[in-house]
Amino acid sequence: MPTVQVTDLKDDDFLLDVREVDEWQAGHAQGALHIPISEFVARYGELTEAAPQDGRVHVICRSGGRSAQVTMYLAQQGIDAANVDGGMQLWAEAGRPVVTDDGRPGFVL
């Protein structure tokens, strides 16, 4: 399964956050698309509408387990996807911004 390190992500890379609503509300990467894993299959069309047609989907969760499951599913659908190793925990540790919906600083739940 393709995996990418947080430090290798560029600011304009497409990011899909599959954590649950309470985790997202506590803090997330600015500009990420949020579709909780529990709703992913039902909301799959939102991803296909938002994702770049010729780009990679970088999938993130808290630590990398849930995002690995979604990454494998996307690969089976023929979508270029990569799991973000270490998830939002490593995102925050690397000093990448974590924000709330209103743009204030957030935290990883």
Side-chain angles (χ1 to χ4, degrees), residues 20-63:
E20 294 303 320
V21 173
D22 60 334
E23 295 172 289
W24 171 266
Q25 289 173 341
H28 54 268
Q30 190 164 355
L33 173 64
H34 179 229
I35 303 176
I37 192 170
S38 61
E39 302 172 12
F40 188 75
V41 174
R43 294 178 56 190
Y44 178 74
E46 292 177 43
L47 172 67
T48 58
E49 287 179 22
Q53 297 303 310
D54 57 351
R56 175 172 269 187
V57 175
H58 300 90
V59 188
I60 197 164
C61 67
R62 182 173 184 267
S63 61

Side-chain angles (χ1 to χ4, degrees), residues 24-31 88 97-107:
W24 171 266
Q25 289 173 341
H28 54 268
Q30 190 164 355
M88 287 299 296
V98 178
V99 298
T100 60
D101 282 337
D102 60 9
R104 289 182 295 137
F107 62 94

Side-chain angles (χ1 to χ4, degrees), residues 16-19 59-67 86-89:
L16 170 65
D17 190 324
V18 297
R19 296 174 303 145
V59 188
I60 197 164
C61 67
R62 182 173 184 267
S63 61
R66 290 172 286 178
S67 55
M88 287 299 296
Q89 289 178 320

